[in-house]
Amino acid sequence: MSLTRLPSFRLHYNLNNSCSIIHLIIFIHFFFIPICHPLSFSMNRFDHSATNIIYEGDAAPNSGVIELNTPSYCRVGRATYAEPLHLWEGSLASDFTSNFSFTVDTLNSTSFADGFAFFLAPVHYPIPPNSNGPDLGLFNATTRFSSQNQLVTVEFDTHYNPEFGIDPAPGPHIGITNKTISSVVHANWDPFLYSGKEGRARITYNAATNNLSVFCTYDDSNAGNYSISLLIDLKKSLPEWVTIGFSSSTGLLFERHIIRSWEFISSELRRTYYDGEFHLPLFRWVWHLYLEGNLLDAADERLEMDFDQNEMECLLIVGLWCTHLHPRERPKAGQVIKFLQLEAPLPKLPHIMPEYPMRQPQQQPQTDSS
């Protein structure tokens, strides 16, 4: 482990005050300050006047909901959030939660198709040509099984397509796809049973554990609960910036796909380090090293210990002091300058790490459906 964002940092006795302060600010920046702002919104109604949703294909707002497609043959529709999501950068990744309510209406027919999906894709990812039917407006015959796709979806697939060899189970299902059209994990689902009824879905991603999970429920029946999860590193499947939204399609059979509400929240991108079974924010990891007497292990490995150890220790200790839980206990600018120029003895830090607020670690999920 190393402070990889400080690859060539060294303090020297002859640094002027400005440089010392700049270096400390840089150090504290990587302790506490996230790289980007989170994405957050909540919409319980969709109108033509709103500019935060982009509609493509058949998709359009109608009486406060999103009609993703015209209930007719071979149609495609898509609705995406106008602002992109900054999903990851370097070793940093974002958690997110997407909650939405929806309705699939089979129009009182026992023959219907094809479904809709919540998806993450490259910004400005277009609707592919010939992407109706089983491709849900996201793939086509050329791209269905390409490992080069940068596309992750949670699909609500209403029709079994054995002729294409794309479905993991002989029947409708809720599934998670990674790059290709076939679900990696899935749960059997009966859209006809819940036709016209409102379902609610929650999709969450934990960047520390790489757990992407889906929970779907219908309020009128305990049997209408569906849950799946997948261990997936989204940094390996998606670009740093992504578009999020919904896509649907019909083929030789059709149905209605309606989005009734949508809320989304992502976390700030933060660096974490692995310590046994737990992922730690950077400042906690440095605190652990300090308490273990191994503080210099926080220095970038690429420096190959080619630095003045007293100067590096000074930098790290002052940095920890500046992250004190109580702002009044943090050093003033004049004190920082003296410490960084080694004109004053190092502060004595507590031998117990301050009790910063911290989420409890989560258990590792299963990689198949439940």
Side-chain angles (χ1 to χ4, degrees), residues 4 8 10 20 42 92 130 146 171 176 180-181 296 310 352 355:
T4 55
S8 59
R10 295 185 67 186
S20 298
S42 179
L92 307 173
N130 303 314
S146 173
I176 300 174
T180 70
I181 194 172
L296 292 180
N310 290 331
I352 299 176
E355 292 296 327

Side-chain angles (χ1 to χ4, degrees), residues 114 130-141 144 166 181 247 249:
D114 273 277
N130 303 314
S131 58
N132 56 45
D135 294 300
L136 301 185
L138 296 168
F139 304 90
N140 58 28
R144 286 173 188 160
I166 61 178
I181 194 172
S247 182
S249 65

Side-chain angles (χ1 to χ4, degrees), residues 66-88:
I66 298 175
E67 292 270 4
L68 284 174
N69 59 270
T70 302
S72 184
Y73 302 106
C74 300
R75 309 304 299 179
V76 172
R78 180 186 293 183
T80 56
Y81 193 65
E83 184 180 345
L85 167 66
H86 195 182
L87 184 62
W88 62 271

Side-chain angles (χ1 to χ4, degrees), residues 22-50:
I22 289 173
H23 286 150
L24 182 64
I25 291 173
I26 292 173
F27 178 76
I28 296 173
H29 173 84
F30 291 106
F31 259 53
F32 259 154
I33 302 178
I35 285 182
C36 74
H37 296 290
L39 181 64
S40 177
F41 59 85
S42 179
M43 292 175 284
N44 294 314
R45 183 176 178 84
F46 304 92
D47 298 307
H48 286 279
S49 59

Side-chain angles (χ1 to χ4, degrees), residues 233-298:
D233 185 353
L234 292 184
K235 298 192 300 298
K236 297 180 180 179
S237 299
L238 294 166
E240 294 185 23
W241 291 87
V242 296
T243 289
I244 56 173
F246 302 93
S247 182
S248 75
S249 65
T250 66
L252 299 180
L253 302 172
F254 55 85
E255 64 199 9
R256 295 175 67 203
H257 306 106
I258 301 167
I259 302 299
R260 298 188 174 277
S261 65
W262 185 20
E263 63 179 31
F264 185 94
I265 185 169
S266 68
S267 67
E268 298 167 326
L269 298 180
R270 292 187 181 275
R271 182 182 302 278
T272 62
Y273 285 87
Y274 195 66
D275 180 20
E277 298 180 356
F278 307 103
H279 289 258
L280 304 176
L282 177 57
F283 72 93
R284 287 183 178 275
W285 175 66
V286 178
W287 262 108
H288 277 285
L289 293 177
Y290 169 75
L291 296 175
E292 294 170 356
N294 300 316
L295 185 58
L296 292 180
D297 288 349

Side-chain angles (χ1 to χ4, degrees), residues 70 163 169 193 246 316:
T70 302
E163 67 274 24
L193 178 63
F246 302 93
L316 294 167

Side-chain angles (χ1 to χ4, degrees), residues 86-343:
H86 195 182
L87 184 62
W88 62 271
E89 181 173 320
S91 63
L92 307 173
S94 174
D95 300 336
F96 66 79
T97 298
S98 180
N99 296 312
F100 58 91
S101 59
F102 66 93
T103 296
V104 174
D105 186 353
T106 65
L107 304 172
N108 297 318
S109 174
T110 56
S111 298
F112 48 88
D114 273 277
F116 77 98
F118 171 82
F119 71 93
L120 301 94
V123 178
H124 305 308
Y125 181 71
I127 296 177
N130 303 314
S131 58
N132 56 45
D135 294 300
L136 301 185
L138 296 168
F139 304 90
N140 58 28
T142 302
T143 64
R144 286 173 188 160
F145 302 104
S146 173
S147 61
Q148 301 304 310
N149 293 329
Q150 292 182 300
L151 189 61
V152 172
T153 82
V154 174
E155 64 167 355
F156 295 75
D157 191 333
T158 63
H159 187 71
Y160 179 46
N161 297 279
E163 67 274 24
F164 299 112
I166 61 178
D167 289 329
H173 57 274
I174 298 172
I176 300 174
T177 75
N178 179 22
K179 297 186 178 181
T180 70
I181 194 172
S182 297
S183 291
V184 182
V185 294
H186 74 278
N188 294 330
W189 172 52
D190 189 348
F192 181 73
L193 178 63
Y194 300 107
S195 176
K197 298 178 181 179
E198 182 175 328
R200 293 183 291 115
R202 170 185 284 260
I203 301 169
T204 60
Y205 182 66
N206 185 314
T209 61
N210 291 336
N211 177 34
L212 179 62
S213 63
V214 181
F215 178 76
C216 177
T217 184
Y218 291 86
D219 290 335
D220 63 348
S221 172
N222 290 330
N225 294 335
Y226 304 89
S227 180
I228 56 176
S229 64
L230 177 68
L231 292 177
I232 176 174
D233 185 353
L234 292 184
K235 298 192 300 298
K236 297 180 180 179
S237 299
L238 294 166
E240 294 185 23
W241 291 87
V242 296
T243 289
I244 56 173
F246 302 93
S247 182
S248 75
S249 65
T250 66
L252 299 180
L253 302 172
F254 55 85
E255 64 199 9
R256 295 175 67 203
H257 306 106
I258 301 167
I259 302 299
R260 298 188 174 277
S261 65
W262 185 20
E263 63 179 31
F264 185 94
I265 185 169
S266 68
S267 67
E268 298 167 326
L269 298 180
R270 292 187 181 275
R271 182 182 302 278
T272 62
Y273 285 87
Y274 195 66
D275 180 20
E277 298 180 356
F278 307 103
H279 289 258
L280 304 176
L282 177 57
F283 72 93
R284 287 183 178 275
W285 175 66
V286 178
W287 262 108
H288 277 285
L289 293 177
Y290 169 75
L291 296 175
E292 294 170 356
N294 300 316
L295 185 58
L296 292 180
D297 288 349
D300 197 317
E301 295 168 352
R302 289 173 292 181
L303 292 176
E304 297 180 344
M305 298 298 291
D306 183 21
F307 52 78
D308 185 293
Q309 295 188 12
N310 290 331
E311 294 174 352
M312 181 62 74
E313 183 181 25
C314 173
L315 170 70
L316 294 167
I317 289 178
V318 172
L320 288 176
W321 191 15
C322 290
T323 67
H324 199 286
L325 181 63
H326 303 292
R328 291 185 178 180
E329 299 296 327
R330 297 169 188 168
K332 295 181 173 58
Q335 292 175 292
V336 169
I337 291 174
K338 289 184 178 181
F339 285 121
L340 289 179
Q341 295 202 339
L342 306 181
E343 295 176 355

